[in-house]
Amino acid sequence: MSLIKQLHKYLSTLKVEDGKKISLSDFDTDYDHKMISKKEGTKLLKNGIKQLAELQDVLYADNRYSVLIILQAMDAAGKDGAIKHVMTGFNPQGVKVTSYKKPSSNELEHDYFWRHYKALPGRGEIGIFNRSHYENVLVTRVHPEYIMNENIPGIDSVNDIDDKFWEKRYEQINCFENNLYENGTHILKFFLHVSKKEQKKRFLERIDNPEKNWKFSAADAAERKFWDKYQEAYSMMLGATSKEHAPWYVLPADDKWFTRICIGAVIFFELNKLNLSYPKVSEENMKKLLKAKDELLKE
């Protein structure tokens, strides 16, 4: 079996089935290192980046679909690095990366999708969400007191935020993404699954390396204390919102180079399913092109 076929088969095991309840503990944060070496992986990613660039060009010319890539993870799982390394071959004119932090006071005056609507890619474009609307069923589930900042009718205290509230949010998110899909947006969602041990290692590297100090804050260490609650919140969210038209992939993230290969491969395989093509010029326009060519040659 070729390496590409092996990778395709392996990635299918990381895709969360529609409607299946899962536990993150069932997914590896590391892979067995038998399928591909780092040297082979580096070469594969380099070639893959070129192919992704070609697909992006056709996507833009085809002008029927847009692509939304969503990255979610615990802190230090490698989202920024994945964007930098996997998307490096894309034409910046057709790509927009949006990183989401704590919502502003203005954003809280609107529904929680509002700030995400504004950043959605247009036809022929690729949008990348570094964190996303899923924060509204993750960090808010670990810290339900944050919901009170949204001033939602009928939610007068934290006690009003029950299981039905979260089920409704999952339903809202599924409807939001289904609407996008039915209007031409291809959605790919990646959870970078890093281990607690590896996160600790990366946190210490950020503290010890002056060039990485800026990437670490006391808040990162504080949130680590809620590790188990986040794992539970992610498990419930992934099971409730992975759909055939908007699947979640749980990628092992302890080896950054392998995570990047997985992301690039999924994007490549999924874009190929769209049967993208360059638009054909009409007979009338072709006559105009040939006439323009003739005039240029006569200059």
Side-chain angles (χ1 to χ4, degrees):
M1 185 184 294
S2 69
L3 181 57
I4 296 299
K5 288 184 178 180
Q6 287 183 62
L7 187 57
H8 190 278
K9 184 178 180 180
Y10 173 74
L11 290 171
S12 67
T13 68
L14 306 182
K15 185 177 178 180
V16 179
E17 294 180 26
D18 188 338
K20 182 178 180 180
K21 292 184 178 180
I22 70 158
S23 171
L24 280 180
S25 61
D26 296 331
F27 291 83
D28 293 329
T29 59
D30 196 3
Y31 87 112
D32 60 17
H33 296 267
K34 294 178 181 178
M35 180 172 58
I36 186 173
S37 66
K38 186 174 182 178
K39 183 177 180 181
E40 292 174 316
T42 301
K43 182 178 180 181
L44 182 63
L45 182 60
K46 184 177 180 180
N47 292 333
I49 287 171
K50 292 180 181 178
Q51 293 176 307
L52 286 176
E54 293 171 1
L55 279 171
Q56 183 204 7
D57 192 63
V58 185
L59 174 73
Y60 184 81
D62 188 278
N63 199 42
R64 288 182 298 155
Y65 300 100
S66 56
V67 177
L68 177 61
I69 298 169
I70 295 172
L71 299 175
Q72 287 286 160
M74 298 292 288
D75 292 324
K79 298 187 304 302
D80 293 344
I83 293 171
K84 177 181 178 181
H85 288 84
V86 179
M87 322 301 177
T88 186
F90 286 161
N91 184 336
Q93 289 184 313
V95 179
K96 181 179 181 181
V97 179
T98 308
S99 297
Y100 291 100
K101 306 294 184 182
K102 179 181 177 181
S104 67
S105 57
N106 183 41
E107 289 168 341
L108 286 170
E109 290 301 318
H110 301 79
D111 73 87
Y112 64 91
F113 290 114
W114 182 72
R115 63 176 180 165
H116 306 290
Y117 268 119
K118 297 193 300 178
L120 289 173
R123 299 195 189 281
E125 296 179 343
I126 297 173
I128 302 170
F129 283 2
N130 185 345
R131 300 192 186 278
S132 65
H133 45 286
Y134 283 98
E135 291 295 291
N136 296 280
V137 290
L138 293 169
V139 66
T140 53
R141 184 146 197 174
V142 175
H143 301 284
E145 64 273 15
Y146 294 169
I147 292 291
M148 303 311 299
N149 295 325
E150 299 181 30
N151 292 325
I152 302 172
I155 304 298
D156 301 314
S157 74
V158 173
N159 294 329
D160 295 322
I161 306 171
D162 54 14
D163 288 343
K164 290 184 179 180
F165 175 88
W166 299 115
E167 290 172 5
K168 187 65 177 178
R169 284 227 156 166
Y170 295 145
E171 182 183 340
Q172 291 167 351
I173 288 173
N174 289 334
C175 288
F176 168 66
E177 292 180 351
N178 188 61
N179 180 56
L180 296 180
Y181 172 75
E182 291 183 348
N183 284 278
T185 298
H186 202 62
I187 306 169
L188 297 173
K189 303 181 294 194
F190 301 99
F191 173 67
L192 280 55
H193 190 23
V194 69
S195 67
K196 192 174 184 180
K197 179 180 178 181
E198 180 64 21
Q199 187 196 59
K200 177 181 177 180
K201 176 184 173 184
R202 294 179 187 179
F203 277 174
L204 290 173
E205 287 175 353
R206 291 181 177 184
I207 294 171
D208 293 336
N209 187 342
E211 294 180 359
K212 293 185 177 182
N213 287 169
W214 64 275
K215 298 185 75 174
F216 184 81
S217 71
D220 296 333
E223 286 303 288
R224 182 175 163 83
K225 296 176 183 178
F226 298 96
W227 180 274
D228 291 342
K229 288 187 176 182
Y230 273 109
Q231 297 295 294
E232 183 181 1
Y234 266 109
S235 295
M236 289 186 286
M237 178 277 288
L238 292 166
T241 62
S242 188
K243 301 298 177 182
E244 195 58 38
H245 61 273
W248 274 108
Y249 288 86
V250 180
L251 307 181
D254 283 359
D255 286 300
K256 293 180 180 179
W257 65 269
F258 185 70
T259 310
R260 294 162 187 168
I261 290 172
C262 290
I263 293 173
V266 170
I267 297 172
F268 175 77
F269 292 139
E270 291 299 321
L271 285 186
N272 270 314
K273 292 180 182 178
L274 298 180
N275 295 317
L276 301 169
S277 62
Y278 289 104
K280 292 183 178 180
V281 179
S282 66
E283 185 176 341
E284 182 181 352
N285 284 336
M286 181 55 73
K287 289 179 181 179
K288 293 179 181 179
L289 289 175
L290 293 174
K291 181 179 179 181
K293 177 183 177 180
D294 185 56
E295 292 175 350
L296 287 169
L297 292 174
K298 289 179 179 178
E299 286 184 359

